[in-house]
Amino acid sequence: MLKKILLATVALVLIAFLTLAGMAWSRLQPEINLLELPDNLVSHSGNRGHELLQNANAKLDYAPLAENFESQELRSFCGVASGVTVLNSLGRNIDQSSFFDHDSPEAKSRMDVTFGGMTLDEFATLLAAHGAVVAVHHADSIEVDEFREIVRRNLNEPGNYLVVNYQREELGQRRVGHISPVAAYDEESELVLILDTASYNYPPTWVPLTQLHEAMKALDPSSGKSRGFVEVSGLVE
């Protein structure tokens, strides 16, 4: 009798666990729901967005990033999709599954990223695990003028890339941290083009540079540090 009770209890616990796991997994699945952008942001898909790209004075990263762009496969995979996009733009050939195939014991695991996302430093560590040469900048330690110069220089040079980690709420979007690559900069309007990896919610978007800097200065509660950006200057030979 006791054995039957124990078996029944174990079965109920297992059913409850599988049910909760299924619910958690379903919440991670992206659903196409295009959200309206606030007035301070410009969709790249509209006439104004195309005009900005045409006139942008720093856009050498746009073509390779757009050619290799990937939308995130899970809601927590913004860093994964960004990493795959940048690494493939540098000549790698990986996808969002093989992004976790590496030999680095320091890099965050697929399971941890799936259910917890990643911080700026964790993102850089995963890129480095694939041989990328990276430099991490937390935005609270870099002034907006210096950030502007880095953006201008980087997007005028081939073979290196910028990926930003920012709090969407500071841009007038929903409250959530996000990671995506930067593809172009229009100096006259002071707008930068973010290839938003959450393409099921947002298009590639032109964002005011100063607001992006403020959004990167927001605290990431997972790390206790400000957000920021990663410079990827190439691959280790």
Side-chain angles (χ1 to χ4, degrees), residues 26-35 72-75 174 198-202:
S26 66
R27 284 198 291 268
L28 289 170
Q29 305 304 308
E31 295 181 0
I32 297 177
N33 178 28
L34 296 179
L35 302 174
Q72 59 197 76
E73 294 177 356
L74 297 176
R75 292 186 182 275
R174 57 175 57 178
S199 59
Y200 50 87
N201 284 154
Y202 298 103

Side-chain angles (χ1 to χ4, degrees), residues 11-236:
L12 288 174
V13 170
L14 181 59
I15 291 171
F17 172 78
L18 292 175
T19 300
L20 290 173
M23 292 172 60
W25 181 253
S26 66
R27 284 198 291 268
L28 289 170
Q29 305 304 308
E31 295 181 0
I32 297 177
N33 178 28
L34 296 179
L35 302 174
E36 185 175 353
L37 293 176
D39 293 340
N40 58 310
L41 307 183
V42 179
S43 171
H44 177 57
S45 61
N47 292 335
R48 174 60 173 154
H50 289 300
E51 179 184 344
L52 284 166
L53 182 62
Q54 183 176 359
N55 296 331
N57 59 304
K59 56 183 176 183
L60 287 184
D61 289 352
Y62 176 79
L65 287 173
E67 181 179 350
N68 291 284
F69 176 78
E70 294 213 5
S71 181
Q72 59 197 76
E73 294 177 356
L74 297 176
R75 292 186 182 275
S76 55
F77 269 24
C78 57
V80 178
S82 297
V84 170
T85 296
V86 167
L87 288 168
N88 287 347
S89 296
L90 288 168
R92 290 283 194 256
N93 183 22
I94 61 174
D95 57 28
Q96 292 181 50
S97 178
S98 59
F99 184 67
F100 295 97
D101 296 339
H102 53 74
D103 297 324
S104 173
E106 300 176 354
K108 198 169 185 179
S109 70
R110 182 200 308 268
M111 182 67 70
D112 287 342
V113 171
T114 297
F115 292 100
M118 66 180 79
T119 67
L120 182 67
D121 293 286
E122 290 167 344
F123 173 63
T125 299
L126 276 160
L127 286 176
H130 288 277
V133 180
V134 299
V136 179
H137 302 272
H138 290 276
D140 62 352
S141 63
I142 187 168
E143 297 295 330
V144 66
D145 289 341
E146 185 179 356
F147 175 59
R148 182 183 294 107
E149 288 304 314
I150 291 173
V151 168
R152 182 186 291 116
R153 171 183 51 76
N154 184 281
L155 297 176
N156 269 312
E157 297 174 353
N160 55 27
Y161 299 97
L162 288 177
V163 184
V164 290
N165 172 215
Y166 59 100
Q167 171 56 250
R168 283 193 185 278
E169 186 180 34
E170 298 293 332
L171 301 179
Q173 299 175 317
R174 57 175 57 178
R175 181 174 177 80
V176 64
H178 192 57
I179 298 174
S180 282
V182 174
Y185 170 58
D186 178 61
E187 190 169 2
E188 182 178 353
S189 65
E190 274 275 278
L191 295 174
V192 295
L193 177 60
I194 295 177
L195 297 187
D196 199 322
T197 59
S199 59
Y200 50 87
N201 284 154
Y202 298 103
T205 303
W206 290 93
V207 175
L209 184 142
T210 54
Q211 282 189 273
L212 176 59
H213 183 258
E214 287 299 314
M216 293 191 302
K217 286 168 63 178
L219 183 72
D220 184 343
S222 295
S223 66
K225 302 177 181 178
S226 79
R227 301 176 187 275
F229 63 98
V230 172
E231 288 186 89
V232 185
S233 56
L235 298 173
V236 176

Side-chain angles (χ1 to χ4, degrees), residues 1-13:
M1 183 66 178
L2 181 59
K3 184 176 180 180
K4 290 182 178 180
I5 294 175
L6 287 173
L7 288 173
T9 301
V10 170
L12 288 174
V13 170

